[in-house]
Amino acid sequence: QVQLVESGGGLVQAGGSLRLSCAASGRTFSRYTMGWFRQAPGKERELVAAIRRSGGSTYSADSVKGRFTISRDNAKNTVYLQMNSLKPEDTAVYFCAAGETTLVVVTTPRGYDYWGQGTQVTVSS
């Protein structure tokens, strides 16, 4: 079993930046595709960004392209989400997730096996 713990959330004004971190337990972190999901009140959980195990292939949702960057450090068993130019609509609980790497990046929550507890990001106008 993989355990994931997110950190770095908080309250920030529009236009500001935050960096989320997700620390994974165990020694098999590099096997997994890692994803960041978010869920805002009244909305479905959506994939924000994902990164394959090699770190060379990433996915970003259209809504965050140019603003958010996902990266990973396999030596530290950690994945990051750098969030810049934050907007009020980015307000959500952000979840770190891990799933078996497949030929195509999975964009649905069902494609991920392990989840963190989430960290709240609130962007004020």
Side-chain angles (χ1 to χ4, degrees), residues 72-84:
R72 69 191 297 164
D73 186 338
N74 288 341
K76 296 182 178 180
N77 283 6
T78 303
V79 63
Y80 306 94
L81 184 67
Q82 179 66 48
M83 304 185 294
N84 298 326

Side-chain angles (χ1 to χ4, degrees), residues 28-35 50-58 71-75 78 99-103 105:
T28 58
F29 174 76
S30 62
R31 292 176 53 190
Y32 298 102
T33 292
M34 302 297 298
I51 185 166
R52 293 173 65 82
R53 62 184 182 183
S54 68
S57 180
T58 61
S71 62
R72 69 191 297 164
D73 186 338
N74 288 341
T78 303
E100 294 289 341
T101 296
T102 56
L103 292 176
V105 172

Side-chain angles (χ1 to χ4, degrees), residues 86-108:
L86 283 162
K87 304 175 181 179
E89 51 263 44
D90 295 319
T91 296
V93 177
Y94 284 71
F95 298 90
C96 178
E100 294 289 341
T101 296
T102 56
L103 292 176
V104 180
V105 172
V106 178
T107 60
T108 61

Side-chain angles (χ1 to χ4, degrees), residues 60-69 82-85 87:
S60 297
D62 289 342
S63 60
V64 305
K65 284 183 178 177
R67 299 190 298 120
F68 292 9
T69 303
Q82 179 66 48
M83 304 185 294
N84 298 326
S85 301
K87 304 175 181 179

Side-chain angles (χ1 to χ4, degrees), residues 6-66:
E6 304 96 336
S7 63
L11 175 64
V12 65
Q13 292 186 350
S17 298
L18 287 173
R19 189 178 77 159
L20 305 183
S21 298
C22 174
S25 66
R27 56 185 179 181
T28 58
F29 174 76
S30 62
R31 292 176 53 190
Y32 298 102
T33 292
M34 302 297 298
W36 284 100
F37 287 78
R38 67 185 181 187
Q39 188 163 24
K43 297 183 179 180
E44 295 183 351
R45 189 171 298 186
E46 64 172 346
L47 180 66
V48 175
I51 185 166
R52 293 173 65 82
R53 62 184 182 183
S54 68
S57 180
T58 61
Y59 164 90
S60 297
D62 289 342
S63 60
V64 305
K65 284 183 178 177

